[in-house]
Amino acid sequence: MPTVRQQLGVPPPYRLCEIDGVRLAFRQVGEGRDIVCLHAIGHGGGDFATFVEVLAPHYRVTVLDWPGHGWSSEDTQPPAVVRYGELLAAFIANQELKNVVLIGNSIGGGAAIHYASLAPGNVAGLVLANPAGLIEMTPRNRRAVQFMARFFAAGVSKRWWFTLAFAAYYRLMLPKPPARARRRAIIAARFEIAQLLAQAWRGFADPSSDLRSAAAGLSCPVLFTWAMRDRFVRYDLCLGAIRAVPNATVEKFDAGHTPFLETPEAFVSSVTRFLDARI
């Protein structure tokens, strides 16, 4: 019987690939240009289940579970955009994926930016949904990040109030009706994913997680798909970094953090137009 965390992962049948001591679970469907989907911290590759079915007739779509998520094994290092970007680079090389389009949400978007800065010749385009790494770590923003890390650490300790507070948090993160089932599944996994969330939020304050320079140096077409209700990865705080990205376009969605879960039809339409016109 799969754990709650595993139920968030890529749906079977999946494969395993060992990268730097981590067994990464992934699912690959379809034929054609390579698209790789990268989920947010605390979620899982299952976030993309519906999206994959739409793209698979035209593309070869690969969906990963990050370490400690879904069916992937634990990592010896804490989650971070640079670590995930390096694992992604090794995975892409291992699987011999060519001229990839990366679709990343939150920390997955940050990992996509980092990989594109490492291997610009192998990236055809980026679709970034509220990516990590674009907010300047001012003292105020650093305090906010540290507060969120302490919040999730309370889940590690299983504080009595955490369940209600975590549920309220995810009602902000995934407020739209199409994401209701996914939101409930993530809330059910709260104690399994709390450690990853606490570690990731601590890592967001590290200077290595600042991807603004890397984003400004991107050479491939970039589509920002921004969930405008996001109260944590806020559009206004990222706007300077977004404007510095060459060859980029922005589409805005009435969503909390993950537009492909909350506004799936609009997201698919946006990405399809981008792929048809720019890739």
PDB file of all heavy atoms in Angstrom, residues 186-205:
ATOM      1  N   ILE A 186      -2.255  16.749  -0.545  1.00  0.00           N
ATOM      2  CA  ILE A 186      -1.057  17.368   0.030  1.00  0.00           C
ATOM      3  C   ILE A 186      -1.237  17.598   1.523  1.00  0.00           C
ATOM      4  O   ILE A 186      -0.324  17.362   2.324  1.00  0.00           O
ATOM      5  CB  ILE A 186      -0.734  18.675  -0.707  1.00  0.00           C
ATOM      6  CG1 ILE A 186      -0.319  18.371  -2.153  1.00  0.00           C
ATOM      7  CG2 ILE A 186       0.367  19.456   0.013  1.00  0.00           C
ATOM      8  CD1 ILE A 186      -0.251  19.589  -3.048  1.00  0.00           C
ATOM      9  N   ILE A 187      -2.411  18.053   1.916  1.00  0.00           N
ATOM     10  CA  ILE A 187      -2.679  18.251   3.349  1.00  0.00           C
ATOM     11  C   ILE A 187      -2.582  16.927   4.098  1.00  0.00           C
ATOM     12  O   ILE A 187      -2.045  16.862   5.209  1.00  0.00           O
ATOM     13  CB  ILE A 187      -4.053  18.915   3.539  1.00  0.00           C
ATOM     14  CG1 ILE A 187      -4.024  20.350   3.018  1.00  0.00           C
ATOM     15  CG2 ILE A 187      -4.467  18.908   5.011  1.00  0.00           C
ATOM     16  CD1 ILE A 187      -5.387  21.010   2.922  1.00  0.00           C
ATOM     17  N   ALA A 188      -3.069  15.851   3.491  1.00  0.00           N
ATOM     18  CA  ALA A 188      -2.987  14.535   4.136  1.00  0.00           C
ATOM     19  C   ALA A 188      -1.544  14.092   4.333  1.00  0.00           C
ATOM     20  O   ALA A 188      -1.238  13.342   5.272  1.00  0.00           O
ATOM     21  CB  ALA A 188      -3.746  13.504   3.299  1.00  0.00           C
ATOM     22  N   ALA A 189      -0.638  14.583   3.481  1.00  0.00           N
ATOM     23  CA  ALA A 189       0.783  14.204   3.567  1.00  0.00           C
ATOM     24  C   ALA A 189       1.594  15.165   4.426  1.00  0.00           C
ATOM     25  O   ALA A 189       2.821  15.083   4.456  1.00  0.00           O
ATOM     26  CB  ALA A 189       1.377  14.143   2.161  1.00  0.00           C
ATOM     27  N   ARG A 190       0.932  16.036   5.168  1.00  0.00           N
ATOM     28  CA  ARG A 190       1.596  17.155   5.838  1.00  0.00           C
ATOM     29  C   ARG A 190       2.782  16.744   6.698  1.00  0.00           C
ATOM     30  O   ARG A 190       3.834  17.401   6.672  1.00  0.00           O
ATOM     31  CB  ARG A 190       0.579  17.933   6.678  1.00  0.00           C
ATOM     32  CG  ARG A 190      -0.093  17.108   7.777  1.00  0.00           C
ATOM     33  CD  ARG A 190      -1.366  17.752   8.279  1.00  0.00           C
ATOM     34  NE  ARG A 190      -2.039  16.936   9.285  1.00  0.00           N
ATOM     35  CZ  ARG A 190      -2.810  15.894   9.009  1.00  0.00           C
ATOM     36  NH1 ARG A 190      -2.987  15.514   7.752  1.00  0.00           N
ATOM     37  NH2 ARG A 190      -3.408  15.218   9.970  1.00  0.00           N
ATOM     38  N   PHE A 191       2.650  15.681   7.476  1.00  0.00           N
ATOM     39  CA  PHE A 191       3.735  15.308   8.369  1.00  0.00           C
ATOM     40  C   PHE A 191       4.877  14.616   7.618  1.00  0.00           C
ATOM     41  O   PHE A 191       6.028  14.697   8.042  1.00  0.00           O
ATOM     42  CB  PHE A 191       3.221  14.415   9.503  1.00  0.00           C
ATOM     43  CG  PHE A 191       2.262  15.117  10.427  1.00  0.00           C
ATOM     44  CD1 PHE A 191       1.011  14.582  10.698  1.00  0.00           C
ATOM     45  CD2 PHE A 191       2.602  16.316  11.022  1.00  0.00           C
ATOM     46  CE1 PHE A 191       0.121  15.227  11.541  1.00  0.00           C
ATOM     47  CE2 PHE A 191       1.722  16.978  11.877  1.00  0.00           C
ATOM     48  CZ  PHE A 191       0.472  16.429  12.129  1.00  0.00           C
ATOM     49  N   GLU A 192       4.565  13.966   6.498  1.00  0.00           N
ATOM     50  CA  GLU A 192       5.606  13.337   5.690  1.00  0.00           C
ATOM     51  C   GLU A 192       6.450  14.364   4.950  1.00  0.00           C
ATOM     52  O   GLU A 192       7.631  14.126   4.693  1.00  0.00           O
ATOM     53  CB  GLU A 192       4.985  12.375   4.681  1.00  0.00           C
ATOM     54  CG  GLU A 192       4.387  11.110   5.276  1.00  0.00           C
ATOM     55  CD  GLU A 192       3.932  10.159   4.189  1.00  0.00           C
ATOM     56  OE1 GLU A 192       4.802   9.560   3.526  1.00  0.00           O
ATOM     57  OE2 GLU A 192       2.704  10.023   4.006  1.00  0.00           O
ATOM     58  N   ILE A 193       5.871  15.492   4.594  1.00  0.00           N
ATOM     59  CA  ILE A 193       6.583  16.469   3.769  1.00  0.00           C
ATOM     60  C   ILE A 193       7.068  17.678   4.557  1.00  0.00           C
ATOM     61  O   ILE A 193       7.775  18.529   4.006  1.00  0.00           O
ATOM     62  CB  ILE A 193       5.702  16.943   2.603  1.00  0.00           C
ATOM     63  CG1 ILE A 193       4.437  17.650   3.104  1.00  0.00           C
ATOM     64  CG2 ILE A 193       5.337  15.776   1.690  1.00  0.00           C
ATOM     65  CD1 ILE A 193       3.541  18.187   1.988  1.00  0.00           C
ATOM     66  N   ALA A 194       6.739  17.764   5.848  1.00  0.00           N
ATOM     67  CA  ALA A 194       7.087  18.955   6.630  1.00  0.00           C
ATOM     68  C   ALA A 194       8.594  19.190   6.681  1.00  0.00           C
ATOM     69  O   ALA A 194       9.055  20.333   6.589  1.00  0.00           O
ATOM     70  CB  ALA A 194       6.521  18.839   8.044  1.00  0.00           C
ATOM     71  N   GLN A 195       9.382  18.128   6.819  1.00  0.00           N
ATOM     72  CA  GLN A 195      10.837  18.278   6.897  1.00  0.00           C
ATOM     73  C   GLN A 195      11.396  18.855   5.599  1.00  0.00           C
ATOM     74  O   GLN A 195      12.240  19.752   5.616  1.00  0.00           O
ATOM     75  CB  GLN A 195      11.497  16.932   7.193  1.00  0.00           C
ATOM     76  CG  GLN A 195      13.010  16.979   7.321  1.00  0.00           C
ATOM     77  CD  GLN A 195      13.476  17.733   8.548  1.00  0.00           C
ATOM     78  OE1 GLN A 195      12.868  17.638   9.611  1.00  0.00           O
ATOM     79  NE2 GLN A 195      14.555  18.476   8.433  1.00  0.00           N
ATOM     80  N   LEU A 196      10.923  18.359   4.471  1.00  0.00           N
ATOM     81  CA  LEU A 196      11.366  18.874   3.182  1.00  0.00           C
ATOM     82  C   LEU A 196      11.009  20.349   3.027  1.00  0.00           C
ATOM     83  O   LEU A 196      11.816  21.153   2.545  1.00  0.00           O
ATOM     84  CB  LEU A 196      10.731  18.072   2.050  1.00  0.00           C
ATOM     85  CG  LEU A 196      11.269  16.662   1.807  1.00  0.00           C
ATOM     86  CD1 LEU A 196      10.315  15.889   0.903  1.00  0.00           C
ATOM     87  CD2 LEU A 196      12.658  16.727   1.186  1.00  0.00           C
ATOM     88  N   LEU A 197       9.803  20.707   3.429  1.00  0.00           N
ATOM     89  CA  LEU A 197       9.374  22.096   3.325  1.00  0.00           C
ATOM     90  C   LEU A 197      10.216  23.006   4.214  1.00  0.00           C
ATOM     91  O   LEU A 197      10.629  24.095   3.795  1.00  0.00           O
ATOM     92  CB  LEU A 197       7.893  22.205   3.685  1.00  0.00           C
ATOM     93  CG  LEU A 197       6.924  21.681   2.625  1.00  0.00           C
ATOM     94  CD1 LEU A 197       5.558  21.392   3.235  1.00  0.00           C
ATOM     95  CD2 LEU A 197       6.781  22.685   1.488  1.00  0.00           C
ATOM     96  N   ALA A 198      10.474  22.569   5.446  1.00  0.00           N
ATOM     97  CA  ALA A 198      11.293  23.380   6.357  1.00  0.00           C
ATOM     98  C   ALA A 198      12.701  23.572   5.797  1.00  0.00           C
ATOM     99  O   ALA A 198      13.256  24.681   5.809  1.00  0.00           O
ATOM    100  CB  ALA A 198      11.346  22.724   7.738  1.00  0.00           C
ATOM    101  N   GLN A 199      13.295  22.492   5.304  1.00  0.00           N
ATOM    102  CA  GLN A 199      14.641  22.586   4.743  1.00  0.00           C
ATOM    103  C   GLN A 199      14.678  23.489   3.518  1.00  0.00           C
ATOM    104  O   GLN A 199      15.595  24.299   3.348  1.00  0.00           O
ATOM    105  CB  GLN A 199      15.144  21.187   4.384  1.00  0.00           C
ATOM    106  CG  GLN A 199      15.425  20.293   5.569  1.00  0.00           C
ATOM    107  CD  GLN A 199      15.782  18.872   5.142  1.00  0.00           C
ATOM    108  OE1 GLN A 199      15.396  18.402   4.069  1.00  0.00           O
ATOM    109  NE2 GLN A 199      16.543  18.182   5.973  1.00  0.00           N
ATOM    110  N   ALA A 200      13.690  23.330   2.636  1.00  0.00           N
ATOM    111  CA  ALA A 200      13.671  24.135   1.417  1.00  0.00           C
ATOM    112  C   ALA A 200      13.539  25.617   1.730  1.00  0.00           C
ATOM    113  O   ALA A 200      14.239  26.449   1.135  1.00  0.00           O
ATOM    114  CB  ALA A 200      12.530  23.673   0.509  1.00  0.00           C
ATOM    115  N   TRP A 201      12.654  25.952   2.669  1.00  0.00           N
ATOM    116  CA  TRP A 201      12.483  27.369   2.999  1.00  0.00           C
ATOM    117  C   TRP A 201      13.727  27.944   3.652  1.00  0.00           C
ATOM    118  O   TRP A 201      14.080  29.100   3.396  1.00  0.00           O
ATOM    119  CB  TRP A 201      11.242  27.564   3.869  1.00  0.00           C
ATOM    120  CG  TRP A 201       9.996  27.647   3.045  1.00  0.00           C
ATOM    121  CD1 TRP A 201       9.195  26.626   2.646  1.00  0.00           C
ATOM    122  CD2 TRP A 201       9.416  28.831   2.482  1.00  0.00           C
ATOM    123  NE1 TRP A 201       8.161  27.085   1.872  1.00  0.00           N
ATOM    124  CE2 TRP A 201       8.263  28.430   1.764  1.00  0.00           C
ATOM    125  CE3 TRP A 201       9.754  30.179   2.533  1.00  0.00           C
ATOM    126  CZ2 TRP A 201       7.458  29.348   1.089  1.00  0.00           C
ATOM    127  CZ3 TRP A 201       8.948  31.103   1.864  1.00  0.00           C
ATOM    128  CH2 TRP A 201       7.817  30.682   1.154  1.00  0.00           C
ATOM    129  N   ARG A 202      14.424  27.158   4.455  1.00  0.00           N
ATOM    130  CA  ARG A 202      15.697  27.646   4.990  1.00  0.00           C
ATOM    131  C   ARG A 202      16.674  27.912   3.849  1.00  0.00           C
ATOM    132  O   ARG A 202      17.427  28.893   3.864  1.00  0.00           O
ATOM    133  CB  ARG A 202      16.284  26.639   5.986  1.00  0.00           C
ATOM    134  CG  ARG A 202      15.614  26.659   7.356  1.00  0.00           C
ATOM    135  CD  ARG A 202      16.435  25.920   8.403  1.00  0.00           C
ATOM    136  NE  ARG A 202      16.437  24.487   8.166  1.00  0.00           N
ATOM    137  CZ  ARG A 202      15.556  23.635   8.692  1.00  0.00           C
ATOM    138  NH1 ARG A 202      14.600  24.091   9.489  1.00  0.00           N
ATOM    139  NH2 ARG A 202      15.640  22.347   8.453  1.00  0.00           N
ATOM    140  N   GLY A 203      16.654  27.018   2.852  1.00  0.00           N
ATOM    141  CA  GLY A 203      17.574  27.158   1.734  1.00  0.00           C
ATOM    142  C   GLY A 203      17.278  28.350   0.843  1.00  0.00           C
ATOM    143  O   GLY A 203      18.187  28.886   0.193  1.00  0.00           O
ATOM    144  N   PHE A 204      16.032  28.788   0.792  1.00  0.00           N
ATOM    145  CA  PHE A 204      15.691  29.924  -0.057  1.00  0.00           C
ATOM    146  C   PHE A 204      16.416  31.198   0.374  1.00  0.00           C
ATOM    147  O   PHE A 204      16.586  32.118  -0.433  1.00  0.00           O
ATOM    148  CB  PHE A 204      14.179  30.176  -0.042  1.00  0.00           C
ATOM    149  CG  PHE A 204      13.372  29.098  -0.725  1.00  0.00           C
ATOM    150  CD1 PHE A 204      12.079  28.825  -0.314  1.00  0.00           C
ATOM    151  CD2 PHE A 204      13.902  28.366  -1.773  1.00  0.00           C
ATOM    152  CE1 PHE A 204      11.322  27.840  -0.935  1.00  0.00           C
ATOM    153  CE2 PHE A 204      13.159  27.376  -2.402  1.00  0.00           C
ATOM    154  CZ  PHE A 204      11.857  27.111  -1.989  1.00  0.00           C
ATOM    155  N   ALA A 205      16.817  31.268   1.631  1.00  0.00           N
ATOM    156  CA  ALA A 205      17.530  32.453   2.128  1.00  0.00           C
ATOM    157  C   ALA A 205      19.025  32.400   1.829  1.00  0.00           C
ATOM    158  O   ALA A 205      19.722  33.398   2.019  1.00  0.00           O
ATOM    159  CB  ALA A 205      17.310  32.598   3.636  1.00  0.00           C
TER     160      ALA A 205
END
